[in-house]
Amino acid sequence: MQYRRELTQRERLLEGMIAVVNRDGYAGASVPAVLAAAGVPFATFEEHFADRDDVFRAAIEDVALQMAALVRTSIDARPASEASLATVEALVAFASAEPAGARFELSEALAGGAQGRDARDAGIAAIAEAIEQALATVPQDTVAPDIEHRVLIGGVYRLIAPRLRRGEPAISRLADVLEQWLSSYARPLGEHRWRTLRPAPRPDPSPHVPDAPIQRMPNALPPGQPRVSEEEAIEQDRLRILYAAARMAERNGYLATTVADITDFAGVEQDVFYRLFADKQDAFLAVHELGYAQLMDLTSKAFFSGASWPLRSWEGGRALTQVLEDNPLVAHIGFVEAYAVGPAAIQRVEDSHIAFTFFLHEGLVYRPLEHPPSGLAMEAIVACIFEIIYLQSRDHGTPEVATMLPHIAHLWLTPFLGSRESDEFIDAQGGDPQAYGGASARDD
């Protein structure tokens, strides 16, 4: 029989925060709720933490340290060339053994605004560094997956998280399938092109991306001008509120944004807001739904304009990345801030992973393979692409999403075409392989 040692008061508070956030979301994780879950008095809380954010951040960092330790042990137990595979194995093992901590780290950490994102991303960077250190010890002719490590780890996070939320019992079974998928990117280290997110020149403008930004405030009607119809007035108010909600979330974060902030920016009365939306969360869910619908529409039209599946994939990716770069507000709300809105928004983000795998299924018939990518592998591809977009969109300013198109195409095409044919196709579209890590660009 195994006995678990008695937890310290600090550890009980960390576990209390994890339990409450997993149950109620970050917004519901009040200090009294954490104290009740931990079973400790407020005076004890004050001895260890300054406030709710302090214990939230500490919980993320604590779980990250546990995961990193397991990853290092897993890497040490396998050949250095298999460091990426060992990492995936360790992450799956941790999620299987510690589902509460894993769910908190892999998904719920993103709900706590910039501080949660910073702590989550720092943990990923530490694991990525462990992989890179292992690969630095082997010759350049050693074969290993050619993939950016932060993107891989973040993608695996995104793949496992919804399964933990659903309470799936067989998380451990993911390891073999994910390792098979990851092996499809293997090539000699000296030929690696994609282990760094080096931006490429922006491709030519996609004809499917509108010249005018889609993230704009509808023009207010001049005073005294009659409105054409009541339906038009309602729709204009609705769109003004949605734009204002998105802009306030980008500026202040979802958690700090109030209905008053939104209505002041939109130039509408609060009674107008409440006629259209139940509360702040309802408005933000509508923002996310509108943005997703616009992205899917543009991506689908561009995808079906190509003459072959690789070209269709490139055109779809070109439109998607350019519209996100041209509309950073859409990118920030859809791929960064949505997690703070609550479980319903997180569910929509995760559902969109499945929707985007639709564009991958044609690859199964374009080039029949003896061992084609599985459904889980296609989910992993999309999850890694979402991680790239997140990394480019998480800070304020203009995200360099369009410059990541070659990296996205590599993730998308290589499991179906192989590394060399995928690279040749990307080079033919992008024009300058040195700009995004071509063979001669690796000489540095």
PDB file of all heavy atoms in Angstrom, residues 167-190:
ATOM      1  N   GLY A 167     -13.379  14.079 -18.990  1.00  0.00           N
ATOM      2  CA  GLY A 167     -13.174  12.963 -18.076  1.00  0.00           C
ATOM      3  C   GLY A 167     -12.896  11.649 -18.771  1.00  0.00           C
ATOM      4  O   GLY A 167     -13.228  10.576 -18.246  1.00  0.00           O
ATOM      5  N   GLU A 168     -12.270  11.693 -19.952  1.00  0.00           N
ATOM      6  CA  GLU A 168     -11.976  10.462 -20.667  1.00  0.00           C
ATOM      7  C   GLU A 168     -10.992   9.610 -19.865  1.00  0.00           C
ATOM      8  O   GLU A 168      -9.988  10.122 -19.349  1.00  0.00           O
ATOM      9  CB  GLU A 168     -11.408  10.766 -22.057  1.00  0.00           C
ATOM     10  CG  GLU A 168     -12.426  11.415 -22.981  1.00  0.00           C
ATOM     11  CD  GLU A 168     -11.909  11.561 -24.401  1.00  0.00           C
ATOM     12  OE1 GLU A 168     -10.820  11.023 -24.699  1.00  0.00           O
ATOM     13  OE2 GLU A 168     -12.583  12.228 -25.204  1.00  0.00           O
ATOM     14  N   PRO A 169     -11.224   8.316 -19.756  1.00  0.00           N
ATOM     15  CA  PRO A 169     -10.416   7.473 -18.867  1.00  0.00           C
ATOM     16  C   PRO A 169      -9.125   6.942 -19.478  1.00  0.00           C
ATOM     17  O   PRO A 169      -8.276   6.430 -18.766  1.00  0.00           O
ATOM     18  CB  PRO A 169     -11.370   6.314 -18.560  1.00  0.00           C
ATOM     19  CG  PRO A 169     -12.212   6.191 -19.795  1.00  0.00           C
ATOM     20  CD  PRO A 169     -12.388   7.598 -20.311  1.00  0.00           C
ATOM     21  N   ALA A 170      -8.976   7.036 -20.793  1.00  0.00           N
ATOM     22  CA  ALA A 170      -7.864   6.348 -21.447  1.00  0.00           C
ATOM     23  C   ALA A 170      -6.855   7.337 -22.034  1.00  0.00           C
ATOM     24  O   ALA A 170      -6.391   7.182 -23.165  1.00  0.00           O
ATOM     25  CB  ALA A 170      -8.396   5.422 -22.536  1.00  0.00           C
ATOM     26  N   ILE A 171      -6.493   8.345 -21.276  1.00  0.00           N
ATOM     27  CA  ILE A 171      -5.533   9.341 -21.757  1.00  0.00           C
ATOM     28  C   ILE A 171      -4.213   8.689 -22.140  1.00  0.00           C
ATOM     29  O   ILE A 171      -3.561   9.085 -23.112  1.00  0.00           O
ATOM     30  CB  ILE A 171      -5.298  10.415 -20.672  1.00  0.00           C
ATOM     31  CG1 ILE A 171      -6.605  11.155 -20.336  1.00  0.00           C
ATOM     32  CG2 ILE A 171      -4.224  11.410 -21.115  1.00  0.00           C
ATOM     33  CD1 ILE A 171      -7.174  11.946 -21.457  1.00  0.00           C
ATOM     34  N   SER A 172      -3.799   7.671 -21.406  1.00  0.00           N
ATOM     35  CA  SER A 172      -2.500   7.045 -21.657  1.00  0.00           C
ATOM     36  C   SER A 172      -2.395   6.462 -23.055  1.00  0.00           C
ATOM     37  O   SER A 172      -1.294   6.308 -23.591  1.00  0.00           O
ATOM     38  CB  SER A 172      -2.221   5.961 -20.617  1.00  0.00           C
ATOM     39  OG  SER A 172      -3.216   4.941 -20.685  1.00  0.00           O
ATOM     40  N   ARG A 173      -3.526   6.129 -23.668  1.00  0.00           N
ATOM     41  CA  ARG A 173      -3.501   5.539 -25.008  1.00  0.00           C
ATOM     42  C   ARG A 173      -3.096   6.543 -26.085  1.00  0.00           C
ATOM     43  O   ARG A 173      -2.829   6.157 -27.224  1.00  0.00           O
ATOM     44  CB  ARG A 173      -4.873   4.957 -25.347  1.00  0.00           C
ATOM     45  CG  ARG A 173      -5.314   3.809 -24.431  1.00  0.00           C
ATOM     46  CD  ARG A 173      -6.695   3.316 -24.800  1.00  0.00           C
ATOM     47  NE  ARG A 173      -7.187   2.315 -23.852  1.00  0.00           N
ATOM     48  CZ  ARG A 173      -8.412   1.820 -23.866  1.00  0.00           C
ATOM     49  NH1 ARG A 173      -9.278   2.245 -24.782  1.00  0.00           N
ATOM     50  NH2 ARG A 173      -8.779   0.918 -22.978  1.00  0.00           N
ATOM     51  N   LEU A 174      -3.079   7.810 -25.753  1.00  0.00           N
ATOM     52  CA  LEU A 174      -2.725   8.830 -26.745  1.00  0.00           C
ATOM     53  C   LEU A 174      -1.251   8.763 -27.126  1.00  0.00           C
ATOM     54  O   LEU A 174      -0.873   9.162 -28.222  1.00  0.00           O
ATOM     55  CB  LEU A 174      -3.030  10.228 -26.201  1.00  0.00           C
ATOM     56  CG  LEU A 174      -4.469  10.562 -25.832  1.00  0.00           C
ATOM     57  CD1 LEU A 174      -4.547  11.962 -25.251  1.00  0.00           C
ATOM     58  CD2 LEU A 174      -5.383  10.449 -27.049  1.00  0.00           C
ATOM     59  N   ALA A 175      -0.404   8.269 -26.231  1.00  0.00           N
ATOM     60  CA  ALA A 175       1.041   8.379 -26.420  1.00  0.00           C
ATOM     61  C   ALA A 175       1.515   7.711 -27.703  1.00  0.00           C
ATOM     62  O   ALA A 175       2.262   8.314 -28.492  1.00  0.00           O
ATOM     63  CB  ALA A 175       1.770   7.792 -25.214  1.00  0.00           C
ATOM     64  N   ASP A 176       1.120   6.483 -27.957  1.00  0.00           N
ATOM     65  CA  ASP A 176       1.617   5.754 -29.122  1.00  0.00           C
ATOM     66  C   ASP A 176       1.206   6.435 -30.423  1.00  0.00           C
ATOM     67  O   ASP A 176       2.011   6.548 -31.358  1.00  0.00           O
ATOM     68  CB  ASP A 176       1.106   4.310 -29.103  1.00  0.00           C
ATOM     69  CG  ASP A 176       1.760   3.471 -28.010  1.00  0.00           C
ATOM     70  OD1 ASP A 176       2.810   3.890 -27.489  1.00  0.00           O
ATOM     71  OD2 ASP A 176       1.198   2.410 -27.673  1.00  0.00           O
ATOM     72  N   VAL A 177      -0.042   6.892 -30.500  1.00  0.00           N
ATOM     73  CA  VAL A 177      -0.519   7.535 -31.724  1.00  0.00           C
ATOM     74  C   VAL A 177       0.194   8.864 -31.942  1.00  0.00           C
ATOM     75  O   VAL A 177       0.585   9.201 -33.068  1.00  0.00           O
ATOM     76  CB  VAL A 177      -2.042   7.746 -31.665  1.00  0.00           C
ATOM     77  CG1 VAL A 177      -2.545   8.398 -32.952  1.00  0.00           C
ATOM     78  CG2 VAL A 177      -2.755   6.422 -31.435  1.00  0.00           C
ATOM     79  N   LEU A 178       0.392   9.626 -30.873  1.00  0.00           N
ATOM     80  CA  LEU A 178       1.074  10.907 -31.005  1.00  0.00           C
ATOM     81  C   LEU A 178       2.540  10.717 -31.392  1.00  0.00           C
ATOM     82  O   LEU A 178       3.081  11.493 -32.193  1.00  0.00           O
ATOM     83  CB  LEU A 178       0.969  11.696 -29.698  1.00  0.00           C
ATOM     84  CG  LEU A 178      -0.403  12.288 -29.393  1.00  0.00           C
ATOM     85  CD1 LEU A 178      -0.401  12.954 -28.020  1.00  0.00           C
ATOM     86  CD2 LEU A 178      -0.821  13.286 -30.464  1.00  0.00           C
ATOM     87  N   GLU A 179       3.178   9.705 -30.849  1.00  0.00           N
ATOM     88  CA  GLU A 179       4.573   9.457 -31.212  1.00  0.00           C
ATOM     89  C   GLU A 179       4.685   9.032 -32.677  1.00  0.00           C
ATOM     90  O   GLU A 179       5.633   9.412 -33.373  1.00  0.00           O
ATOM     91  CB  GLU A 179       5.184   8.415 -30.283  1.00  0.00           C
ATOM     92  CG  GLU A 179       5.402   8.929 -28.864  1.00  0.00           C
ATOM     93  CD  GLU A 179       6.266   8.004 -28.025  1.00  0.00           C
ATOM     94  OE1 GLU A 179       7.071   7.263 -28.602  1.00  0.00           O
ATOM     95  OE2 GLU A 179       6.123   8.035 -26.791  1.00  0.00           O
ATOM     96  N   GLN A 180       3.729   8.263 -33.164  1.00  0.00           N
ATOM     97  CA  GLN A 180       3.735   7.884 -34.577  1.00  0.00           C
ATOM     98  C   GLN A 180       3.569   9.120 -35.457  1.00  0.00           C
ATOM     99  O   GLN A 180       4.259   9.272 -36.482  1.00  0.00           O
ATOM    100  CB  GLN A 180       2.615   6.885 -34.853  1.00  0.00           C
ATOM    101  CG  GLN A 180       2.575   6.397 -36.304  1.00  0.00           C
ATOM    102  CD  GLN A 180       1.441   5.408 -36.543  1.00  0.00           C
ATOM    103  OE1 GLN A 180       0.631   5.144 -35.669  1.00  0.00           O
ATOM    104  NE2 GLN A 180       1.388   4.861 -37.740  1.00  0.00           N
ATOM    105  N   TRP A 181       2.652  10.009 -35.069  1.00  0.00           N
ATOM    106  CA  TRP A 181       2.465  11.258 -35.827  1.00  0.00           C
ATOM    107  C   TRP A 181       3.740  12.096 -35.798  1.00  0.00           C
ATOM    108  O   TRP A 181       4.198  12.590 -36.836  1.00  0.00           O
ATOM    109  CB  TRP A 181       1.300  12.044 -35.227  1.00  0.00           C
ATOM    110  CG  TRP A 181       1.334  13.500 -35.557  1.00  0.00           C
ATOM    111  CD1 TRP A 181       1.101  14.077 -36.771  1.00  0.00           C
ATOM    112  CD2 TRP A 181       1.657  14.577 -34.667  1.00  0.00           C
ATOM    113  NE1 TRP A 181       1.252  15.439 -36.692  1.00  0.00           N
ATOM    114  CE2 TRP A 181       1.585  15.771 -35.415  1.00  0.00           C
ATOM    115  CE3 TRP A 181       1.984  14.646 -33.313  1.00  0.00           C
ATOM    116  CZ2 TRP A 181       1.840  17.027 -34.846  1.00  0.00           C
ATOM    117  CZ3 TRP A 181       2.236  15.889 -32.743  1.00  0.00           C
ATOM    118  CH2 TRP A 181       2.164  17.045 -33.506  1.00  0.00           C
ATOM    119  N   LEU A 182       4.336  12.271 -34.620  1.00  0.00           N
ATOM    120  CA  LEU A 182       5.519  13.110 -34.496  1.00  0.00           C
ATOM    121  C   LEU A 182       6.677  12.556 -35.315  1.00  0.00           C
ATOM    122  O   LEU A 182       7.474  13.313 -35.897  1.00  0.00           O
ATOM    123  CB  LEU A 182       5.902  13.222 -33.023  1.00  0.00           C
ATOM    124  CG  LEU A 182       7.050  14.148 -32.654  1.00  0.00           C
ATOM    125  CD1 LEU A 182       6.810  15.557 -33.167  1.00  0.00           C
ATOM    126  CD2 LEU A 182       7.246  14.161 -31.137  1.00  0.00           C
ATOM    127  N   SER A 183       6.774  11.249 -35.420  1.00  0.00           N
ATOM    128  CA  SER A 183       7.846  10.624 -36.191  1.00  0.00           C
ATOM    129  C   SER A 183       7.751  10.954 -37.677  1.00  0.00           C
ATOM    130  O   SER A 183       8.753  10.841 -38.401  1.00  0.00           O
ATOM    131  CB  SER A 183       7.822   9.107 -35.991  1.00  0.00           C
ATOM    132  OG  SER A 183       8.092   8.762 -34.653  1.00  0.00           O
ATOM    133  N   SER A 184       6.582  11.373 -38.139  1.00  0.00           N
ATOM    134  CA  SER A 184       6.445  11.715 -39.562  1.00  0.00           C
ATOM    135  C   SER A 184       7.232  12.968 -39.932  1.00  0.00           C
ATOM    136  O   SER A 184       7.464  13.228 -41.114  1.00  0.00           O
ATOM    137  CB  SER A 184       4.970  11.894 -39.928  1.00  0.00           C
ATOM    138  OG  SER A 184       4.415  13.044 -39.311  1.00  0.00           O
ATOM    139  N   TYR A 185       7.674  13.743 -38.937  1.00  0.00           N
ATOM    140  CA  TYR A 185       8.477  14.943 -39.190  1.00  0.00           C
ATOM    141  C   TYR A 185       9.971  14.679 -39.047  1.00  0.00           C
ATOM    142  O   TYR A 185      10.774  15.614 -39.127  1.00  0.00           O
ATOM    143  CB  TYR A 185       8.076  16.055 -38.217  1.00  0.00           C
ATOM    144  CG  TYR A 185       6.628  16.486 -38.322  1.00  0.00           C
ATOM    145  CD1 TYR A 185       5.658  15.980 -37.457  1.00  0.00           C
ATOM    146  CD2 TYR A 185       6.220  17.393 -39.297  1.00  0.00           C
ATOM    147  CE1 TYR A 185       4.335  16.370 -37.550  1.00  0.00           C
ATOM    148  CE2 TYR A 185       4.897  17.787 -39.398  1.00  0.00           C
ATOM    149  CZ  TYR A 185       3.958  17.268 -38.528  1.00  0.00           C
ATOM    150  OH  TYR A 185       2.640  17.651 -38.630  1.00  0.00           O
ATOM    151  N   ALA A 186      10.368  13.409 -38.846  1.00  0.00           N
ATOM    152  CA  ALA A 186      11.763  13.088 -38.553  1.00  0.00           C
ATOM    153  C   ALA A 186      12.639  13.269 -39.786  1.00  0.00           C
ATOM    154  O   ALA A 186      12.263  12.899 -40.904  1.00  0.00           O
ATOM    155  CB  ALA A 186      11.877  11.659 -38.030  1.00  0.00           C
ATOM    156  N   ARG A 187      13.823  13.814 -39.555  1.00  0.00           N
ATOM    157  CA  ARG A 187      14.848  13.964 -40.590  1.00  0.00           C
ATOM    158  C   ARG A 187      16.169  14.260 -39.878  1.00  0.00           C
ATOM    159  O   ARG A 187      16.174  14.618 -38.698  1.00  0.00           O
ATOM    160  CB  ARG A 187      14.488  15.072 -41.577  1.00  0.00           C
ATOM    161  CG  ARG A 187      14.494  16.455 -40.967  1.00  0.00           C
ATOM    162  CD  ARG A 187      13.755  17.495 -41.784  1.00  0.00           C
ATOM    163  NE  ARG A 187      14.125  17.495 -43.179  1.00  0.00           N
ATOM    164  CZ  ARG A 187      13.607  18.346 -44.077  1.00  0.00           C
ATOM    165  NH1 ARG A 187      12.683  19.218 -43.697  1.00  0.00           N
ATOM    166  NH2 ARG A 187      13.978  18.308 -45.323  1.00  0.00           N
ATOM    167  N   PRO A 188      17.311  14.154 -40.551  1.00  0.00           N
ATOM    168  CA  PRO A 188      18.587  14.448 -39.901  1.00  0.00           C
ATOM    169  C   PRO A 188      18.631  15.877 -39.357  1.00  0.00           C
ATOM    170  O   PRO A 188      18.123  16.815 -39.993  1.00  0.00           O
ATOM    171  CB  PRO A 188      19.609  14.240 -41.024  1.00  0.00           C
ATOM    172  CG  PRO A 188      18.951  13.259 -41.946  1.00  0.00           C
ATOM    173  CD  PRO A 188      17.496  13.615 -41.912  1.00  0.00           C
ATOM    174  N   LEU A 189      19.236  16.032 -38.196  1.00  0.00           N
ATOM    175  CA  LEU A 189      19.300  17.355 -37.569  1.00  0.00           C
ATOM    176  C   LEU A 189      19.912  18.401 -38.494  1.00  0.00           C
ATOM    177  O   LEU A 189      19.493  19.560 -38.498  1.00  0.00           O
ATOM    178  CB  LEU A 189      20.111  17.285 -36.272  1.00  0.00           C
ATOM    179  CG  LEU A 189      19.482  16.525 -35.102  1.00  0.00           C
ATOM    180  CD1 LEU A 189      20.477  16.430 -33.951  1.00  0.00           C
ATOM    181  CD2 LEU A 189      18.198  17.193 -34.653  1.00  0.00           C
ATOM    182  N   GLY A 190      20.896  18.005 -39.279  1.00  0.00           N
ATOM    183  CA  GLY A 190      21.530  18.948 -40.187  1.00  0.00           C
ATOM    184  C   GLY A 190      20.618  19.464 -41.280  1.00  0.00           C
ATOM    185  O   GLY A 190      20.933  20.472 -41.929  1.00  0.00           O
TER     186      GLY A 190
END
